[in-house]
Amino acid sequence: MWHTLCVSREQCKNVKLGRLKSVGVDAAWKVPLYMPTEYIDGRFPLTGVANPEPSDETVLVSGMLFAEPNTEWRNGAPMTRWALADAQGNLLHFSFFGDSRPVVEKLKETRHAVWLCGKIQYFGSKPYLVQAEVADDSFAGRVVARYPGKRGKLSAQNAQRLMASLVPKTVSVCAARLREILGDIVPAQYVRRLLNCPRWTLDELLYEVHSPNTPESGYQALAIIDRLAALLSAAELKQATAATPPARPPICWDGDWRMLAQAFPYPLTEEQQQGIAMLVEKFQSPCASRTLINGDVGTGKSITYQVAVAYAVQAGARAAVLLPHSRLAVQAYQEFRQLWPDLPVRLVTGSAENGPDEDLARLPLLIGTTALLHRPVGEFDVVVVDEQQRYSVDQRNALTGNTAHLIEVSATPIPRSMAYVLYGAMDVIPITQRHSPQNIRSSIITPNGVRPMLDKVRTLVDAGHRILVVCPKRTGNDDETLSSVSRVTARWESLFPGRIRCADSSMDDSVIAQAIDDIILGRAQILVATTVVETGLNIPQLRGVIVTNGDRFGVSQLHQIRGRLAREGGDGWFWVYLPNPVGHKTMERLQAVVSTCEGFDLSRLDMSIRGAGDLSAQGNRQHGASDNLIYNRSVPSGLLDEMFEHLAVLT
């Protein structure tokens, strides 16, 4: 345990934070709130590497370097392969990416066993130490707290050194500041019980987090920190639910929104009608509103906001619809033009063909991409953010000002919005009914299950259906354990010659559009792509989707990709392919995805995994813990529920 140093607030002003500022630690008292993400148990290093168990946790490994390193260059990027050997000659392979010459030369000079840390995974039959790093000699024999860095700003090693130096100097001031903050939330006599911390003071708790004697003790302290983060987030939520919305002039039209709904060639579902009526009622009120339209792909979420937006424009209001990319923006623009030809609307994208900027602030309805955020568009009365999970908090709020009605639309809302909905700080319009019922079968596929999957794909292709294969990266220039569009395209071309097209974000929009058009028109049947197809892509007769290296995708991403299937109704097959073994937590997350097709349920799961984010009115973080207090810890949804209930009773 580090020696306790009593440091005054005045002395804390002289503490040099260094590169910790790059990760948001902007005051000395916040240093102990920069939490470790894991502990390496150096008391029992791995010295034998015969059939090591796959691990989600970072382990410490000791061994002799085997043979010489092999450096390969791919598209200008070096990758150095090497291996450790134990006393029995068993090998554990590892790689360094990028310019690793200084590390390699240092290791070559080592005449005795070297120490590395990383996670054990298998690729084929070979064990690998992935995310391998050279460990400090001091790791052996003790428990080491590990902290995240920030690419290009703060390395994990530097973060560790800074925390070891600064935590002892700042713990006492941090604990005193936390007591003040907690005192504004709940009476002091309830704090220990709420945090489930009967034996540690706040000073001792912070020391235990950063310098535990055992990993178990460290994780126990982190569990208490999670309760602290949940209490702070619940207080922010409670404040948000009690906030009075800003006043604004009502939006009222002499006509009936049902007249506008008649433009659709089919009757609206009961949920869509109820949603439109709810939005119109909010427009007619004398205060701004914030509403989430939540529904899975294909349930007609856009219909709900389209009618409401048309109502607002007919009433003389100004409206904007923000979409994540130009293809979707053009599609939405064309839909508005077809539905209500007399409605004045302008498309605003990065293209120079959109018309002069000086007219934008006078037009009643603008539909576009993030180009809307960088043009002189004026003020709006209604703002729609479609696929809201694709935008930051700042981007979503940029068009609304203080008084616009905000309508957010998503099949899988971000955890922050999900928390607002669940705790009453934001209204929700659920859209669950489909015009065309679907039957989607989802499953996880390992190498042993590839043959049945390929047989089904061939059956679908022979029947004239379409297949989508999604890869985590474009090219194979770095970690070749991940499937790339280039390699996968070649592999599928050998199986289905002439029937393959590919698309990724490095291609011109016209090239991507041509590939997708070829699939839609039947010139090809299998599209290999990155997540450029995650939203907005509508491929008729798409009956099969394969996500390769599915463990590299988030819950929301997987559900969005699955939403491309069977848009016109009917059967669809969704395969999450895992070419390599994954850890228990990862498999648990993927099993949850394939067990349900309900986006609302998966969004709750996503919130429980990633945390609710910074729930304050000024917060920018969309998941995880509150940026301005607890760093690197997500707030478990169950704890948030518990703390919210406690605050309702105690305050």
Side-chain angles (χ1 to χ4, degrees), residues 246-429:
R248 58 152 294 114
I251 300 173
C252 298
W253 180 44
D254 292 337
D256 191 329
W257 64 261
R258 293 172 184 83
M259 297 169 54
L260 300 169
Q262 292 175 4
F264 292 93
Y266 43 78
L268 274 57
T269 66
E270 183 179 350
E271 288 179 332
Q272 288 170 332
Q273 295 181 55
Q274 291 173 348
I276 297 168
M278 177 178 171
L279 290 174
V280 168
E281 183 179 354
K282 288 179 177 295
F283 292 170
Q284 294 171 344
S285 70
C287 56
S289 65
R290 184 172 182 180
T291 308
L292 171 71
I293 301 177
N294 176 237
D296 288 324
V297 175
T299 55
K301 300 184 297 295
S302 60
I303 294 172
T304 306
Y305 76 70
Q306 284 171 343
V307 176
V309 166
Y311 172 92
V313 174
Q314 292 284 14
R318 295 193 72 233
V321 180
L322 178 64
L323 299 115
H325 52 75
S326 58
R327 190 178 180 89
L328 267 182
V330 171
Q331 178 180 306
Y333 169 75
Q334 292 173 343
E335 288 174 350
F336 269 94
R337 291 291 303 272
Q338 292 167 2
L339 289 167
W340 305 288
D342 297 331
L343 208 66
V345 56
R346 168 75 68 82
L347 177 66
V348 182
T349 66
S351 171
E353 302 174 358
N354 296 157
D357 282 356
E358 56 267 23
D359 295 339
L360 295 180
R362 296 194 295 269
L363 293 171
L365 176 56
L366 302 180
I367 297 175
T369 61
T370 51
L372 286 168
L373 306 177
H374 308 289
R375 303 284 179 83
V377 294
E379 296 182 355
F380 296 101
D381 301 291
V382 176
V383 173
V384 177
V385 181
D386 204 345
E387 303 290 356
Q388 58 97 253
Q389 74 280 358
R390 302 292 294 269
Y391 302 94
S392 69
V393 175
D394 285 342
Q395 285 177 314
R396 296 202 308 277
N397 292 338
L399 297 175
T400 61
N402 293 323
T403 60
H405 296 281
L406 175 62
I407 303 170
E408 300 185 8
V409 186
S410 179
T412 50
I414 57 168
R416 185 174 186 263
S417 295
M418 197 66 188
Y420 272 37
V421 167
L422 293 174
Y423 296 98
M426 185 178 187
D427 291 323
V428 62
I429 297 174

Side-chain angles (χ1 to χ4, degrees), residues 2-7 12 15 28-33 163 166-179 201-208 210:
W2 288 326
H3 176 65
T4 302
L5 297 176
C6 293
V7 182
C12 254
V15 171
W29 73 270
K30 294 182 180 180
V31 169
L33 301 180
M163 293 300 292
L166 297 179
V167 167
K169 303 174 183 178
T170 54
V171 159
S172 59
V173 174
C174 178
R177 189 67 173 269
L178 285 176
R179 290 187 187 96
T201 65
L202 282 174
D203 303 67
E204 292 167 341
L205 171 65
L206 293 171
Y207 275 123
E208 197 64 32
H210 296 287

Side-chain angles (χ1 to χ4, degrees), residues 481-624:
T481 63
L482 296 182
S483 301
S484 65
V485 168
S486 55
R487 282 206 306 268
V488 172
T489 298
R491 193 177 307 146
W492 281 87
E493 182 66 34
S494 68
L495 296 173
F496 299 90
R499 300 184 182 186
I500 311 299
R501 295 292 185 271
C502 62
D504 65 59
S505 59
S506 67
M507 300 176 178
D508 291 338
D509 287 346
S510 60
V511 176
I512 295 175
Q514 183 62 59
I516 293 173
D517 286 344
D518 284 350
I519 297 292
I520 292 174
L521 297 174
R523 301 188 189 106
Q525 290 174 267
I526 300 175
L527 178 65
V528 180
T530 57
T531 53
V532 70
V533 299
E534 181 181 331
T535 57
L537 179 66
N538 186 12
I539 299 177
Q541 292 301 307
L542 180 64
R543 299 294 175 180
V545 170
I546 303 168
V547 181
T548 64
N549 293 104
D551 53 308
R552 298 305 179 101
F553 296 82
V555 170
S556 175
Q557 279 185 304
L558 291 171
H559 186 61
Q560 288 285 342
I561 294 168
R562 178 169 54 189
R564 305 302 107 203
L565 270 169
R567 295 289 298 273
E568 67 275 23
D571 295 328
W573 285 263
F574 180 70
W575 295 286
V576 179
Y577 176 50
L578 303 177
N580 307 307
V582 299
H584 173 73
K585 292 180 181 178
T586 300
M587 182 59 75
E588 190 175 48
R589 170 172 60 87
L590 296 176
Q591 289 285 5
V593 172
V594 301
S595 68
T596 180
C597 286
E598 296 296 329
F600 193 83
D601 294 339
L602 288 174
S603 293
R604 292 201 66 168
L605 170 67
D606 197 23
M607 188 181 82
S608 69
I609 292 172
R610 297 197 291 163
D614 187 350
L615 299 173
S616 65
Q618 299 77 28
N620 289 318
R621 190 163 185 170
Q622 305 189 108
H623 59 81

